[in-house]
Amino acid sequence: LTVQVYDKDGRGLPTLRDPRSGEFKLDSQGGTLPATGDYRLRVVGVVTDAAGGPIGYTIRLNRTGLTETGYQAKLQSIILAFNAPETKNVDETIARLENLVDQDGSQPGGYELLGVMYLYHRSDLVKAAAAMENSIKFKGAAVFRVTHDPVLGRAPRKKPDGLYDWVEGRTSWLRIQPDQLSLADMSNEQETIFSLTGNQVREVAPSKVGTMTILSIKTPTQSKGYSLSPGTKSQGEADLILKMLRTYVPPRG
């Protein structure tokens, strides 16, 4: 008997037969299907009467997750739908991301975006933190939207309404990974404002200016460190950022 596998367009996929066990496997990287979709499995051959009756066989399917290409295609589809005004839907986006990590829980992209969605669109710190931990576990990052002043050391000023804010506020993405943190401009993520390893972090300290929470990141070579404020302006987010920094990029003095 021979096992044949065809994709939806009728293209055959290469298979190999183990001469000892008689098992057929896909002859592809990792022995996996190249993409999600419909496939046809055919078992062909001639069984003679001399074979002594029917031949039994089993089909075993091992779920190994999506290929990198398939995973990224699904993730980009979710992002595009969320960013399009006519299809922007928080509940649907979260549901699709949860389904993606259920299909393949070993890739960080879905968890990374779930952390952002739960934090900034659901104000759910518990679920956001859990998603961020999973993202870091699989070599992704915890991502936070923060504000800051491009001029190092310049303190926030008091506005006419009595609240404090940056003199020249800028919004950026803070990415936290084991022994690594970076800040990228939100309007141009290719513009990296800083990228630091654990050895370059001397101190991470919180402070208050009025009701505004400031997180100061100081390095051994700078007299004035980087000052950031959580995007939601909430103490809960500030505490979560501080926890992630101290856990994954602890100051080394």
Side-chain angles (χ1 to χ4, degrees), residues 150-181:
V151 178
L152 293 184
R154 185 160 63 181
R157 66 181 175 187
K158 194 172 186 178
K159 301 186 298 180
D161 60 6
L163 299 176
Y164 284 84
D165 206 347
W166 303 110
V167 175
E168 186 184 343
R170 182 179 294 182
T171 304
S172 299
W173 290 116
L174 178 68
R175 295 177 60 86
I176 301 172
Q177 298 171 275
D179 201 42
Q180 183 76 41
L181 72 151

PDB file of all heavy atoms in Angstrom, residues 150-181:
ATOM      1  N   PRO A 150      11.135  64.085  24.742  1.00  0.00           N
ATOM      2  CA  PRO A 150      12.364  63.769  24.022  1.00  0.00           C
ATOM      3  C   PRO A 150      13.616  64.408  24.623  1.00  0.00           C
ATOM      4  O   PRO A 150      14.737  63.971  24.340  1.00  0.00           O
ATOM      5  CB  PRO A 150      12.102  64.295  22.611  1.00  0.00           C
ATOM      6  CG  PRO A 150      11.024  65.311  22.765  1.00  0.00           C
ATOM      7  CD  PRO A 150      10.185  64.839  23.900  1.00  0.00           C
ATOM      8  N   VAL A 151      13.428  65.428  25.462  1.00  0.00           N
ATOM      9  CA  VAL A 151      14.568  66.079  26.107  1.00  0.00           C
ATOM     10  C   VAL A 151      14.809  65.416  27.465  1.00  0.00           C
ATOM     11  O   VAL A 151      13.958  65.497  28.363  1.00  0.00           O
ATOM     12  CB  VAL A 151      14.322  67.588  26.302  1.00  0.00           C
ATOM     13  CG1 VAL A 151      15.510  68.227  27.020  1.00  0.00           C
ATOM     14  CG2 VAL A 151      14.073  68.258  24.957  1.00  0.00           C
ATOM     15  N   LEU A 152      15.933  64.711  27.589  1.00  0.00           N
ATOM     16  CA  LEU A 152      16.229  63.995  28.823  1.00  0.00           C
ATOM     17  C   LEU A 152      16.328  64.961  29.997  1.00  0.00           C
ATOM     18  O   LEU A 152      16.951  66.022  29.902  1.00  0.00           O
ATOM     19  CB  LEU A 152      17.539  63.214  28.693  1.00  0.00           C
ATOM     20  CG  LEU A 152      17.557  62.040  27.723  1.00  0.00           C
ATOM     21  CD1 LEU A 152      18.899  61.308  27.790  1.00  0.00           C
ATOM     22  CD2 LEU A 152      16.431  61.064  28.011  1.00  0.00           C
ATOM     23  N   GLY A 153      15.704  64.565  31.108  1.00  0.00           N
ATOM     24  CA  GLY A 153      15.802  65.351  32.326  1.00  0.00           C
ATOM     25  C   GLY A 153      14.808  66.482  32.446  1.00  0.00           C
ATOM     26  O   GLY A 153      14.718  67.127  33.498  1.00  0.00           O
ATOM     27  N   ARG A 154      14.041  66.772  31.382  1.00  0.00           N
ATOM     28  CA  ARG A 154      13.071  67.862  31.459  1.00  0.00           C
ATOM     29  C   ARG A 154      11.828  67.387  32.207  1.00  0.00           C
ATOM     30  O   ARG A 154      11.194  66.405  31.818  1.00  0.00           O
ATOM     31  CB  ARG A 154      12.711  68.373  30.071  1.00  0.00           C
ATOM     32  CG  ARG A 154      11.792  69.587  30.090  1.00  0.00           C
ATOM     33  CD  ARG A 154      11.830  70.370  28.790  1.00  0.00           C
ATOM     34  NE  ARG A 154      11.362  69.584  27.654  1.00  0.00           N
ATOM     35  CZ  ARG A 154      11.329  70.069  26.406  1.00  0.00           C
ATOM     36  NH1 ARG A 154      11.752  71.306  26.168  1.00  0.00           N
ATOM     37  NH2 ARG A 154      10.884  69.307  25.414  1.00  0.00           N
ATOM     38  N   ALA A 155      11.503  68.070  33.268  1.00  0.00           N
ATOM     39  CA  ALA A 155      10.390  67.647  34.128  1.00  0.00           C
ATOM     40  C   ALA A 155       9.042  68.015  33.513  1.00  0.00           C
ATOM     41  O   ALA A 155       8.946  68.962  32.713  1.00  0.00           O
ATOM     42  CB  ALA A 155      10.524  68.299  35.495  1.00  0.00           C
ATOM     43  N   PRO A 156       7.981  67.283  33.864  1.00  0.00           N
ATOM     44  CA  PRO A 156       6.634  67.657  33.407  1.00  0.00           C
ATOM     45  C   PRO A 156       6.256  69.039  33.941  1.00  0.00           C
ATOM     46  O   PRO A 156       6.775  69.488  34.968  1.00  0.00           O
ATOM     47  CB  PRO A 156       5.744  66.567  34.022  1.00  0.00           C
ATOM     48  CG  PRO A 156       6.663  65.431  34.287  1.00  0.00           C
ATOM     49  CD  PRO A 156       7.980  66.031  34.638  1.00  0.00           C
ATOM     50  N   ARG A 157       5.358  69.703  33.258  1.00  0.00           N
ATOM     51  CA  ARG A 157       4.921  71.030  33.701  1.00  0.00           C
ATOM     52  C   ARG A 157       3.434  70.993  34.044  1.00  0.00           C
ATOM     53  O   ARG A 157       2.683  70.150  33.547  1.00  0.00           O
ATOM     54  CB  ARG A 157       5.187  72.067  32.630  1.00  0.00           C
ATOM     55  CG  ARG A 157       4.369  71.886  31.368  1.00  0.00           C
ATOM     56  CD  ARG A 157       4.701  72.935  30.331  1.00  0.00           C
ATOM     57  NE  ARG A 157       3.985  72.666  29.067  1.00  0.00           N
ATOM     58  CZ  ARG A 157       4.201  73.358  27.962  1.00  0.00           C
ATOM     59  NH1 ARG A 157       5.109  74.325  27.944  1.00  0.00           N
ATOM     60  NH2 ARG A 157       3.517  73.073  26.856  1.00  0.00           N
ATOM     61  N   LYS A 158       3.041  71.937  34.857  1.00  0.00           N
ATOM     62  CA  LYS A 158       1.645  72.019  35.271  1.00  0.00           C
ATOM     63  C   LYS A 158       0.833  72.742  34.206  1.00  0.00           C
ATOM     64  O   LYS A 158       1.227  73.816  33.733  1.00  0.00           O
ATOM     65  CB  LYS A 158       1.550  72.772  36.600  1.00  0.00           C
ATOM     66  CG  LYS A 158       0.204  72.634  37.297  1.00  0.00           C
ATOM     67  CD  LYS A 158       0.258  73.250  38.678  1.00  0.00           C
ATOM     68  CE  LYS A 158      -1.030  73.004  39.440  1.00  0.00           C
ATOM     69  NZ  LYS A 158      -0.955  73.578  40.821  1.00  0.00           N
ATOM     70  N   LYS A 159      -0.284  72.140  33.813  1.00  0.00           N
ATOM     71  CA  LYS A 159      -1.144  72.719  32.788  1.00  0.00           C
ATOM     72  C   LYS A 159      -2.201  73.622  33.431  1.00  0.00           C
ATOM     73  O   LYS A 159      -2.399  73.606  34.658  1.00  0.00           O
ATOM     74  CB  LYS A 159      -1.815  71.605  31.985  1.00  0.00           C
ATOM     75  CG  LYS A 159      -0.830  70.664  31.289  1.00  0.00           C
ATOM     76  CD  LYS A 159      -1.564  69.691  30.392  1.00  0.00           C
ATOM     77  CE  LYS A 159      -2.513  68.816  31.196  1.00  0.00           C
ATOM     78  NZ  LYS A 159      -3.249  67.851  30.335  1.00  0.00           N
ATOM     79  N   PRO A 160      -2.917  74.402  32.621  1.00  0.00           N
ATOM     80  CA  PRO A 160      -3.946  75.292  33.168  1.00  0.00           C
ATOM     81  C   PRO A 160      -5.014  74.558  33.983  1.00  0.00           C
ATOM     82  O   PRO A 160      -5.603  75.142  34.901  1.00  0.00           O
ATOM     83  CB  PRO A 160      -4.559  75.925  31.911  1.00  0.00           C
ATOM     84  CG  PRO A 160      -3.440  75.921  30.918  1.00  0.00           C
ATOM     85  CD  PRO A 160      -2.698  74.642  31.186  1.00  0.00           C
ATOM     86  N   ASP A 161      -5.265  73.276  33.649  1.00  0.00           N
ATOM     87  CA  ASP A 161      -6.288  72.534  34.402  1.00  0.00           C
ATOM     88  C   ASP A 161      -5.757  71.989  35.721  1.00  0.00           C
ATOM     89  O   ASP A 161      -6.471  71.290  36.450  1.00  0.00           O
ATOM     90  CB  ASP A 161      -6.861  71.390  33.556  1.00  0.00           C
ATOM     91  CG  ASP A 161      -5.802  70.381  33.133  1.00  0.00           C
ATOM     92  OD1 ASP A 161      -4.634  70.482  33.579  1.00  0.00           O
ATOM     93  OD2 ASP A 161      -6.128  69.476  32.339  1.00  0.00           O
ATOM     94  N   GLY A 162      -4.492  72.285  36.033  1.00  0.00           N
ATOM     95  CA  GLY A 162      -3.913  71.848  37.297  1.00  0.00           C
ATOM     96  C   GLY A 162      -3.203  70.517  37.240  1.00  0.00           C
ATOM     97  O   GLY A 162      -2.549  70.115  38.208  1.00  0.00           O
ATOM     98  N   LEU A 163      -3.334  69.784  36.111  1.00  0.00           N
ATOM     99  CA  LEU A 163      -2.668  68.499  35.959  1.00  0.00           C
ATOM    100  C   LEU A 163      -1.294  68.690  35.311  1.00  0.00           C
ATOM    101  O   LEU A 163      -1.029  69.698  34.661  1.00  0.00           O
ATOM    102  CB  LEU A 163      -3.521  67.556  35.102  1.00  0.00           C
ATOM    103  CG  LEU A 163      -4.908  67.225  35.649  1.00  0.00           C
ATOM    104  CD1 LEU A 163      -5.670  66.351  34.648  1.00  0.00           C
ATOM    105  CD2 LEU A 163      -4.821  66.545  36.999  1.00  0.00           C
ATOM    106  N   TYR A 164      -0.445  67.685  35.492  1.00  0.00           N
ATOM    107  CA  TYR A 164       0.897  67.753  34.930  1.00  0.00           C
ATOM    108  C   TYR A 164       0.995  66.889  33.672  1.00  0.00           C
ATOM    109  O   TYR A 164       0.331  65.860  33.546  1.00  0.00           O
ATOM    110  CB  TYR A 164       1.927  67.265  35.952  1.00  0.00           C
ATOM    111  CG  TYR A 164       2.217  68.262  37.054  1.00  0.00           C
ATOM    112  CD1 TYR A 164       1.391  68.343  38.177  1.00  0.00           C
ATOM    113  CD2 TYR A 164       3.303  69.120  36.967  1.00  0.00           C
ATOM    114  CE1 TYR A 164       1.651  69.261  39.190  1.00  0.00           C
ATOM    115  CE2 TYR A 164       3.579  70.039  37.977  1.00  0.00           C
ATOM    116  CZ  TYR A 164       2.743  70.105  39.077  1.00  0.00           C
ATOM    117  OH  TYR A 164       2.998  71.017  40.070  1.00  0.00           O
ATOM    118  N   ASP A 165       1.837  67.345  32.757  1.00  0.00           N
ATOM    119  CA  ASP A 165       2.103  66.558  31.551  1.00  0.00           C
ATOM    120  C   ASP A 165       3.455  66.992  31.002  1.00  0.00           C
ATOM    121  O   ASP A 165       4.051  67.980  31.431  1.00  0.00           O
ATOM    122  CB  ASP A 165       1.010  66.769  30.497  1.00  0.00           C
ATOM    123  CG  ASP A 165       0.890  65.565  29.555  1.00  0.00           C
ATOM    124  OD1 ASP A 165       1.787  64.702  29.570  1.00  0.00           O
ATOM    125  OD2 ASP A 165      -0.103  65.501  28.817  1.00  0.00           O
ATOM    126  N   TRP A 166       3.942  66.213  30.026  1.00  0.00           N
ATOM    127  CA  TRP A 166       5.237  66.513  29.427  1.00  0.00           C
ATOM    128  C   TRP A 166       5.185  67.824  28.649  1.00  0.00           C
ATOM    129  O   TRP A 166       4.156  68.179  28.077  1.00  0.00           O
ATOM    130  CB  TRP A 166       5.662  65.389  28.490  1.00  0.00           C
ATOM    131  CG  TRP A 166       5.743  64.045  29.136  1.00  0.00           C
ATOM    132  CD1 TRP A 166       4.916  62.984  28.929  1.00  0.00           C
ATOM    133  CD2 TRP A 166       6.707  63.617  30.110  1.00  0.00           C
ATOM    134  NE1 TRP A 166       5.296  61.914  29.706  1.00  0.00           N
ATOM    135  CE2 TRP A 166       6.396  62.279  30.442  1.00  0.00           C
ATOM    136  CE3 TRP A 166       7.796  64.239  30.722  1.00  0.00           C
ATOM    137  CZ2 TRP A 166       7.136  61.550  31.370  1.00  0.00           C
ATOM    138  CZ3 TRP A 166       8.541  63.514  31.642  1.00  0.00           C
ATOM    139  CH2 TRP A 166       8.204  62.185  31.962  1.00  0.00           C
ATOM    140  N   VAL A 167       6.318  68.511  28.616  1.00  0.00           N
ATOM    141  CA  VAL A 167       6.407  69.755  27.856  1.00  0.00           C
ATOM    142  C   VAL A 167       6.193  69.474  26.370  1.00  0.00           C
ATOM    143  O   VAL A 167       5.447  70.164  25.677  1.00  0.00           O
ATOM    144  CB  VAL A 167       7.783  70.433  28.083  1.00  0.00           C
ATOM    145  CG1 VAL A 167       7.927  71.677  27.200  1.00  0.00           C
ATOM    146  CG2 VAL A 167       7.966  70.792  29.557  1.00  0.00           C
ATOM    147  N   GLU A 168       6.859  68.430  25.885  1.00  0.00           N
ATOM    148  CA  GLU A 168       6.743  68.022  24.486  1.00  0.00           C
ATOM    149  C   GLU A 168       6.469  66.518  24.461  1.00  0.00           C
ATOM    150  O   GLU A 168       7.362  65.713  24.255  1.00  0.00           O
ATOM    151  CB  GLU A 168       8.033  68.352  23.734  1.00  0.00           C
ATOM    152  CG  GLU A 168       7.980  68.112  22.237  1.00  0.00           C
ATOM    153  CD  GLU A 168       9.327  68.376  21.570  1.00  0.00           C
ATOM    154  OE1 GLU A 168      10.182  69.040  22.178  1.00  0.00           O
ATOM    155  OE2 GLU A 168       9.514  67.883  20.438  1.00  0.00           O
ATOM    156  N   GLY A 169       5.224  66.154  24.705  1.00  0.00           N
ATOM    157  CA  GLY A 169       4.880  64.745  24.852  1.00  0.00           C
ATOM    158  C   GLY A 169       5.029  63.945  23.578  1.00  0.00           C
ATOM    159  O   GLY A 169       4.673  64.407  22.497  1.00  0.00           O
ATOM    160  N   ARG A 170       5.586  62.761  23.718  1.00  0.00           N
ATOM    161  CA  ARG A 170       5.707  61.835  22.592  1.00  0.00           C
ATOM    162  C   ARG A 170       5.241  60.461  23.069  1.00  0.00           C
ATOM    163  O   ARG A 170       5.527  60.072  24.199  1.00  0.00           O
ATOM    164  CB  ARG A 170       7.164  61.765  22.115  1.00  0.00           C
ATOM    165  CG  ARG A 170       7.365  60.852  20.915  1.00  0.00           C
ATOM    166  CD  ARG A 170       8.813  60.832  20.449  1.00  0.00           C
ATOM    167  NE  ARG A 170       9.239  62.121  19.931  1.00  0.00           N
ATOM    168  CZ  ARG A 170      10.447  62.340  19.425  1.00  0.00           C
ATOM    169  NH1 ARG A 170      11.344  61.368  19.393  1.00  0.00           N
ATOM    170  NH2 ARG A 170      10.754  63.530  18.972  1.00  0.00           N
ATOM    171  N   THR A 171       4.540  59.744  22.198  1.00  0.00           N
ATOM    172  CA  THR A 171       4.041  58.407  22.544  1.00  0.00           C
ATOM    173  C   THR A 171       4.875  57.352  21.833  1.00  0.00           C
ATOM    174  O   THR A 171       5.121  57.461  20.627  1.00  0.00           O
ATOM    175  CB  THR A 171       2.565  58.258  22.142  1.00  0.00           C
ATOM    176  OG1 THR A 171       1.797  59.292  22.772  1.00  0.00           O
ATOM    177  CG2 THR A 171       2.020  56.907  22.586  1.00  0.00           C
ATOM    178  N   SER A 172       5.297  56.331  22.580  1.00  0.00           N
ATOM    179  CA  SER A 172       6.173  55.291  22.024  1.00  0.00           C
ATOM    180  C   SER A 172       5.795  53.933  22.595  1.00  0.00           C
ATOM    181  O   SER A 172       5.037  53.831  23.572  1.00  0.00           O
ATOM    182  CB  SER A 172       7.641  55.602  22.332  1.00  0.00           C
ATOM    183  OG  SER A 172       8.037  56.829  21.766  1.00  0.00           O
ATOM    184  N   TRP A 173       6.346  52.888  21.965  1.00  0.00           N
ATOM    185  CA  TRP A 173       6.151  51.522  22.445  1.00  0.00           C
ATOM    186  C   TRP A 173       7.365  51.083  23.258  1.00  0.00           C
ATOM    187  O   TRP A 173       8.496  51.137  22.781  1.00  0.00           O
ATOM    188  CB  TRP A 173       5.985  50.545  21.279  1.00  0.00           C
ATOM    189  CG  TRP A 173       4.708  50.655  20.511  1.00  0.00           C
ATOM    190  CD1 TRP A 173       4.558  51.007  19.206  1.00  0.00           C
ATOM    191  CD2 TRP A 173       3.379  50.372  20.988  1.00  0.00           C
ATOM    192  NE1 TRP A 173       3.228  50.975  18.832  1.00  0.00           N
ATOM    193  CE2 TRP A 173       2.488  50.592  19.910  1.00  0.00           C
ATOM    194  CE3 TRP A 173       2.868  49.974  22.219  1.00  0.00           C
ATOM    195  CZ2 TRP A 173       1.112  50.417  20.031  1.00  0.00           C
ATOM    196  CZ3 TRP A 173       1.483  49.800  22.340  1.00  0.00           C
ATOM    197  CH2 TRP A 173       0.631  50.010  21.259  1.00  0.00           C
ATOM    198  N   LEU A 174       7.130  50.659  24.495  1.00  0.00           N
ATOM    199  CA  LEU A 174       8.180  50.089  25.336  1.00  0.00           C
ATOM    200  C   LEU A 174       8.086  48.571  25.255  1.00  0.00           C
ATOM    201  O   LEU A 174       7.028  47.998  25.517  1.00  0.00           O
ATOM    202  CB  LEU A 174       8.005  50.537  26.787  1.00  0.00           C
ATOM    203  CG  LEU A 174       9.016  49.975  27.795  1.00  0.00           C
ATOM    204  CD1 LEU A 174      10.416  50.544  27.539  1.00  0.00           C
ATOM    205  CD2 LEU A 174       8.565  50.274  29.228  1.00  0.00           C
ATOM    206  N   ARG A 175       9.178  47.927  24.869  1.00  0.00           N
ATOM    207  CA  ARG A 175       9.221  46.473  24.752  1.00  0.00           C
ATOM    208  C   ARG A 175      10.168  45.912  25.809  1.00  0.00           C
ATOM    209  O   ARG A 175      11.334  46.331  25.892  1.00  0.00           O
ATOM    210  CB  ARG A 175       9.684  46.043  23.362  1.00  0.00           C
ATOM    211  CG  ARG A 175       8.729  46.430  22.246  1.00  0.00           C
ATOM    212  CD  ARG A 175       9.278  46.040  20.872  1.00  0.00           C
ATOM    213  NE  ARG A 175       9.484  44.606  20.786  1.00  0.00           N
ATOM    214  CZ  ARG A 175       8.537  43.731  20.441  1.00  0.00           C
ATOM    215  NH1 ARG A 175       7.312  44.161  20.153  1.00  0.00           N
ATOM    216  NH2 ARG A 175       8.797  42.441  20.375  1.00  0.00           N
ATOM    217  N   ILE A 176       9.662  44.967  26.601  1.00  0.00           N
ATOM    218  CA  ILE A 176      10.451  44.367  27.677  1.00  0.00           C
ATOM    219  C   ILE A 176      10.623  42.888  27.404  1.00  0.00           C
ATOM    220  O   ILE A 176       9.648  42.158  27.213  1.00  0.00           O
ATOM    221  CB  ILE A 176       9.760  44.572  29.042  1.00  0.00           C
ATOM    222  CG1 ILE A 176       9.572  46.065  29.333  1.00  0.00           C
ATOM    223  CG2 ILE A 176      10.564  43.903  30.161  1.00  0.00           C
ATOM    224  CD1 ILE A 176       8.740  46.357  30.571  1.00  0.00           C
ATOM    225  N   GLN A 177      11.879  42.439  27.357  1.00  0.00           N
ATOM    226  CA  GLN A 177      12.239  41.042  27.163  1.00  0.00           C
ATOM    227  C   GLN A 177      13.308  40.674  28.183  1.00  0.00           C
ATOM    228  O   GLN A 177      13.879  41.560  28.829  1.00  0.00           O
ATOM    229  CB  GLN A 177      12.782  40.835  25.738  1.00  0.00           C
ATOM    230  CG  GLN A 177      11.786  41.139  24.642  1.00  0.00           C
ATOM    231  CD  GLN A 177      12.431  41.143  23.265  1.00  0.00           C
ATOM    232  OE1 GLN A 177      12.978  42.152  22.845  1.00  0.00           O
ATOM    233  NE2 GLN A 177      12.365  40.014  22.581  1.00  0.00           N
ATOM    234  N   PRO A 178      13.599  39.400  28.358  1.00  0.00           N
ATOM    235  CA  PRO A 178      14.665  39.030  29.289  1.00  0.00           C
ATOM    236  C   PRO A 178      15.979  39.725  28.934  1.00  0.00           C
ATOM    237  O   PRO A 178      16.491  39.575  27.833  1.00  0.00           O
ATOM    238  CB  PRO A 178      14.765  37.512  29.128  1.00  0.00           C
ATOM    239  CG  PRO A 178      13.393  37.097  28.712  1.00  0.00           C
ATOM    240  CD  PRO A 178      12.922  38.210  27.806  1.00  0.00           C
ATOM    241  N   ASP A 179      16.485  40.519  29.874  1.00  0.00           N
ATOM    242  CA  ASP A 179      17.767  41.213  29.737  1.00  0.00           C
ATOM    243  C   ASP A 179      17.778  42.224  28.591  1.00  0.00           C
ATOM    244  O   ASP A 179      18.833  42.576  28.081  1.00  0.00           O
ATOM    245  CB  ASP A 179      18.911  40.207  29.550  1.00  0.00           C
ATOM    246  CG  ASP A 179      20.263  40.803  29.922  1.00  0.00           C
ATOM    247  OD1 ASP A 179      20.331  41.502  30.953  1.00  0.00           O
ATOM    248  OD2 ASP A 179      21.236  40.605  29.174  1.00  0.00           O
ATOM    249  N   GLN A 180      16.597  42.717  28.195  1.00  0.00           N
ATOM    250  CA  GLN A 180      16.548  43.659  27.073  1.00  0.00           C
ATOM    251  C   GLN A 180      15.296  44.525  27.165  1.00  0.00           C
ATOM    252  O   GLN A 180      14.203  44.025  27.404  1.00  0.00           O
ATOM    253  CB  GLN A 180      16.536  42.905  25.743  1.00  0.00           C
ATOM    254  CG  GLN A 180      16.554  43.780  24.504  1.00  0.00           C
ATOM    255  CD  GLN A 180      17.922  44.362  24.219  1.00  0.00           C
ATOM    256  OE1 GLN A 180      18.920  43.652  24.360  1.00  0.00           O
ATOM    257  NE2 GLN A 180      17.981  45.616  23.817  1.00  0.00           N
ATOM    258  N   LEU A 181      15.459  45.835  27.005  1.00  0.00           N
ATOM    259  CA  LEU A 181      14.298  46.704  26.870  1.00  0.00           C
ATOM    260  C   LEU A 181      14.614  47.765  25.832  1.00  0.00           C
ATOM    261  O   LEU A 181      15.768  48.172  25.658  1.00  0.00           O
ATOM    262  CB  LEU A 181      13.907  47.358  28.197  1.00  0.00           C
ATOM    263  CG  LEU A 181      14.803  48.457  28.770  1.00  0.00           C
ATOM    264  CD1 LEU A 181      13.971  49.423  29.606  1.00  0.00           C
ATOM    265  CD2 LEU A 181      15.873  47.838  29.662  1.00  0.00           C
TER     266      LEU A 181
END
